[in-house]
Amino acid sequence: MRSRFDAFGKNVLRDTLARVGAADTGVEVIAASQTMDVWYVPDPARAASLAELGLLGELAADPCQFEPFHDTPGPGELRGCVRKQLHWHHELERRAGGEAPFPRLCILSSGRPGTVLDAFGFGPVPGRPGLYRAAPGWRVDVVVIAELPRTRETLLLRLLGARAVLRDAIRELAALPEDAWERGIALPWLVRLRFEMPAEPSARAAEDAEEEEIVTEVQRWFEQLKQSLQDEALEAGRMEGRKEGRKEGQIEALARQFEKKLGRPLAETERSVLAERFDRLGLDRLDDVRLELSADALAAWLADPAAR
């Protein structure tokens, strides 16, 4: 169960950081045969966009190794992350053929890792609730997600939290405008998390009560989104007044929804594909595709003759 939430966190984190630089998951630390959860390098051309990421944008001002933990880490996990940080610095210097800047390490913890903070001398950063920093030479930060203020600038970080923090973050995400960039990043991964969880409530409950609570929250939001999309399409059809008109109105509403997700107008060929798949696959499937896929994946789905 934990690996599902950890994978969800890494994917949301990577896609958010990709707005302002190059971010990859599973980067191999060759010297140790280990992988970093997310390795990020900022893009100077997109530095102005860092501000919209809030606290995460501040942490992303420099190249950084991000290690999210759905379960609160202990001293052993911290040492493992620092080991990767040191080995990665060695690898960067090997590639550079000389000195290389020492990379920052940021540990994202769902709960407060009190033993870690005390044993390794982390101190709170003034004016930044939930952020703790080791002595400058270590270049290690710990973000306690449960202590972050409930503001929009911390929303995507709080989606990496657990239990009530994650549940409340999902609700806040659902309340954002449909074109909010945070929804575009998190929605496909939330939908995938929903499908990766066991379908039977009894199977989920056997794993963890938290999983049952979160899957219920995601399922509720997903069904509300689908219903709102279908209501929009049906209303557009009713305005046409005739049976064929209702169909055309539904397709037109779907086209507008697809264009919002893609961030551009549909080409005529794409509109034809949408109409054909409306007849062949049905409204439910098109709603699923529109909600589940990222903008790039949605464009690829429209271009793939074999897509379903």
Short mmCIF file of all heavy atoms in Angstrom, two decimals, residues 4-17 25 37-38 68 160 185 189 192 196:
data_model
loop_
_atom_site.label_atom_id
_atom_site.label_comp_id
_atom_site.label_asym_id
_atom_site.label_seq_id
_atom_site.Cartn_x
_atom_site.Cartn_y
_atom_site.Cartn_z
N ARG A 4 2.24 2.56 -3.32
CA ARG A 4 1.30 3.28 -4.19
C ARG A 4 1.31 4.76 -3.84
O ARG A 4 1.34 5.63 -4.73
CB ARG A 4 -0.11 2.70 -4.05
CG ARG A 4 -0.32 1.42 -4.85
CD ARG A 4 -1.80 1.10 -4.95
NE ARG A 4 -2.31 0.59 -3.70
CZ ARG A 4 -2.36 -0.69 -3.36
NH1 ARG A 4 -1.87 -1.59 -4.18
NH2 ARG A 4 -2.88 -1.08 -2.22
N PHE A 5 1.22 5.09 -2.55
CA PHE A 5 1.22 6.49 -2.15
C PHE A 5 2.58 7.13 -2.44
O PHE A 5 2.66 8.29 -2.84
CB PHE A 5 0.89 6.62 -0.66
CG PHE A 5 -0.56 6.45 -0.35
CD1 PHE A 5 -1.01 5.33 0.33
CD2 PHE A 5 -1.48 7.40 -0.76
CE1 PHE A 5 -2.36 5.18 0.61
CE2 PHE A 5 -2.82 7.26 -0.48
CZ PHE A 5 -3.27 6.15 0.21
N ASP A 6 3.68 6.40 -2.24
CA ASP A 6 5.01 6.95 -2.51
C ASP A 6 5.16 7.24 -4.00
O ASP A 6 5.71 8.28 -4.39
CB ASP A 6 6.09 5.98 -2.04
CG ASP A 6 6.21 5.93 -0.52
OD1 ASP A 6 5.79 6.92 0.13
OD2 ASP A 6 6.69 4.93 0.01
N ALA A 7 4.70 6.31 -4.86
CA ALA A 7 4.78 6.54 -6.30
C ALA A 7 3.93 7.74 -6.70
O ALA A 7 4.33 8.56 -7.54
CB ALA A 7 4.34 5.29 -7.05
N PHE A 8 2.74 7.86 -6.11
CA PHE A 8 1.87 9.01 -6.38
C PHE A 8 2.59 10.30 -6.03
O PHE A 8 2.61 11.26 -6.80
CB PHE A 8 0.58 8.87 -5.57
CG PHE A 8 -0.24 10.13 -5.48
CD1 PHE A 8 -0.98 10.58 -6.55
CD2 PHE A 8 -0.26 10.88 -4.30
CE1 PHE A 8 -1.72 11.74 -6.47
CE2 PHE A 8 -1.00 12.04 -4.20
CZ PHE A 8 -1.75 12.47 -5.30
N GLY A 9 3.22 10.33 -4.84
CA GLY A 9 3.93 11.53 -4.41
C GLY A 9 5.07 11.90 -5.33
O GLY A 9 5.25 13.07 -5.68
N LYS A 10 5.86 10.91 -5.73
CA LYS A 10 7.00 11.18 -6.61
C LYS A 10 6.53 11.72 -7.96
O LYS A 10 7.13 12.66 -8.51
CB LYS A 10 7.83 9.92 -6.81
CG LYS A 10 8.66 9.54 -5.60
CD LYS A 10 9.59 8.39 -5.88
CE LYS A 10 8.87 7.07 -5.90
NZ LYS A 10 9.80 5.92 -5.99
N ASN A 11 5.44 11.17 -8.49
CA ASN A 11 4.95 11.61 -9.80
C ASN A 11 4.39 13.03 -9.75
O ASN A 11 4.63 13.84 -10.65
CB ASN A 11 3.90 10.63 -10.31
CG ASN A 11 4.49 9.32 -10.75
OD1 ASN A 11 5.57 9.29 -11.34
ND2 ASN A 11 3.81 8.22 -10.48
N VAL A 12 3.62 13.34 -8.70
CA VAL A 12 3.10 14.71 -8.55
C VAL A 12 4.25 15.70 -8.38
O VAL A 12 4.26 16.77 -8.99
CB VAL A 12 2.13 14.78 -7.35
CG1 VAL A 12 1.78 16.24 -7.03
CG2 VAL A 12 0.85 14.00 -7.66
N LEU A 13 5.22 15.33 -7.56
CA LEU A 13 6.36 16.20 -7.32
C LEU A 13 7.15 16.44 -8.61
O LEU A 13 7.50 17.57 -8.96
CB LEU A 13 7.26 15.58 -6.26
CG LEU A 13 8.45 16.40 -5.77
CD1 LEU A 13 7.99 17.70 -5.12
CD2 LEU A 13 9.26 15.58 -4.77
N ARG A 14 7.43 15.36 -9.34
CA ARG A 14 8.17 15.50 -10.59
C ARG A 14 7.44 16.40 -11.58
O ARG A 14 8.04 17.30 -12.19
CB ARG A 14 8.39 14.12 -11.22
CG ARG A 14 9.13 14.15 -12.56
CD ARG A 14 8.88 12.88 -13.35
NE ARG A 14 7.46 12.71 -13.60
CZ ARG A 14 6.88 11.53 -13.81
NH1 ARG A 14 7.60 10.42 -13.80
NH2 ARG A 14 5.58 11.45 -14.05
N ASP A 15 6.13 16.18 -11.77
CA ASP A 15 5.38 16.95 -12.76
C ASP A 15 5.26 18.41 -12.35
O ASP A 15 5.22 19.31 -13.21
CB ASP A 15 4.00 16.34 -12.96
CG ASP A 15 4.05 15.01 -13.71
OD1 ASP A 15 5.17 14.61 -14.10
OD2 ASP A 15 3.00 14.39 -13.89
N THR A 16 5.19 18.69 -11.06
CA THR A 16 5.16 20.08 -10.60
C THR A 16 6.49 20.76 -10.87
O THR A 16 6.54 21.87 -11.41
CB THR A 16 4.84 20.15 -9.09
OG1 THR A 16 3.61 19.47 -8.83
CG2 THR A 16 4.72 21.59 -8.63
N LEU A 17 7.59 20.12 -10.52
CA LEU A 17 8.91 20.71 -10.72
C LEU A 17 9.25 20.83 -12.20
O LEU A 17 10.04 21.70 -12.59
CB LEU A 17 9.96 19.86 -10.01
CG LEU A 17 9.90 19.91 -8.48
CD1 LEU A 17 10.80 18.84 -7.88
CD2 LEU A 17 10.31 21.28 -7.96
N THR A 25 12.51 11.07 -12.09
CA THR A 25 12.41 10.14 -10.98
C THR A 25 13.34 8.96 -11.22
O THR A 25 13.70 8.65 -12.36
CB THR A 25 10.97 9.61 -10.83
OG1 THR A 25 10.54 9.05 -12.08
CG2 THR A 25 10.02 10.72 -10.43
N ASP A 37 14.65 9.57 -5.46
CA ASP A 37 13.23 9.63 -5.82
C ASP A 37 12.99 10.66 -6.93
O ASP A 37 12.35 10.37 -7.93
CB ASP A 37 12.39 9.96 -4.58
CG ASP A 37 12.20 8.75 -3.69
OD1 ASP A 37 12.58 7.64 -4.10
OD2 ASP A 37 11.69 8.91 -2.57
N VAL A 38 13.48 11.88 -6.72
CA VAL A 38 13.37 12.92 -7.76
C VAL A 38 14.66 13.74 -7.76
O VAL A 38 15.08 14.23 -6.71
CB VAL A 38 12.17 13.86 -7.51
CG1 VAL A 38 12.14 14.98 -8.56
CG2 VAL A 38 10.85 13.11 -7.51
N PRO A 68 10.46 12.09 -0.99
CA PRO A 68 9.19 12.12 -0.23
C PRO A 68 8.95 10.81 0.52
O PRO A 68 9.24 9.73 0.02
CB PRO A 68 8.14 12.32 -1.33
CG PRO A 68 8.75 11.76 -2.57
CD PRO A 68 10.24 11.95 -2.43
N LEU A 160 1.11 15.26 -0.83
CA LEU A 160 2.09 14.23 -0.51
C LEU A 160 1.99 13.80 0.95
O LEU A 160 2.81 13.01 1.43
CB LEU A 160 3.51 14.73 -0.80
CG LEU A 160 4.01 14.64 -2.25
CD1 LEU A 160 3.12 15.42 -3.20
CD2 LEU A 160 5.43 15.17 -2.35
N ILE A 185 -1.97 18.94 -13.02
CA ILE A 185 -0.86 18.07 -12.61
C ILE A 185 -1.36 16.90 -11.78
O ILE A 185 -1.01 15.74 -12.02
CB ILE A 185 0.17 18.88 -11.81
CG1 ILE A 185 0.97 19.79 -12.74
CG2 ILE A 185 1.13 17.95 -11.04
CD1 ILE A 185 1.92 20.73 -12.04
N TRP A 189 -2.83 11.69 -11.77
CA TRP A 189 -2.20 10.77 -10.81
C TRP A 189 -3.17 10.35 -9.73
O TRP A 189 -3.09 9.20 -9.23
CB TRP A 189 -0.95 11.43 -10.22
CG TRP A 189 0.11 11.65 -11.24
CD1 TRP A 189 0.57 12.86 -11.70
CD2 TRP A 189 0.80 10.65 -11.99
NE1 TRP A 189 1.52 12.66 -12.68
CE2 TRP A 189 1.68 11.32 -12.88
CE3 TRP A 189 0.77 9.26 -12.00
CZ2 TRP A 189 2.51 10.64 -13.76
CZ3 TRP A 189 1.60 8.57 -12.88
CH2 TRP A 189 2.45 9.27 -13.75
N ARG A 192 -5.20 7.66 -11.36
CA ARG A 192 -4.42 6.43 -11.43
C ARG A 192 -4.31 5.76 -10.06
O ARG A 192 -4.41 4.54 -9.95
CB ARG A 192 -3.02 6.71 -11.98
CG ARG A 192 -2.15 5.47 -12.09
CD ARG A 192 -0.87 5.74 -12.84
NE ARG A 192 -1.11 6.10 -14.21
CZ ARG A 192 -0.15 6.24 -15.13
NH1 ARG A 192 1.12 6.04 -14.80
NH2 ARG A 192 -0.45 6.58 -16.36
N GLU A 196 -5.40 1.93 -9.05
CA GLU A 196 -4.41 0.98 -8.54
C GLU A 196 -4.82 0.37 -7.21
O GLU A 196 -4.24 -0.61 -6.78
CB GLU A 196 -3.05 1.69 -8.39
CG GLU A 196 -2.38 1.98 -9.72
CD GLU A 196 -1.10 2.77 -9.56
OE1 GLU A 196 -0.84 3.25 -8.43
OE2 GLU A 196 -0.37 2.90 -10.54
#
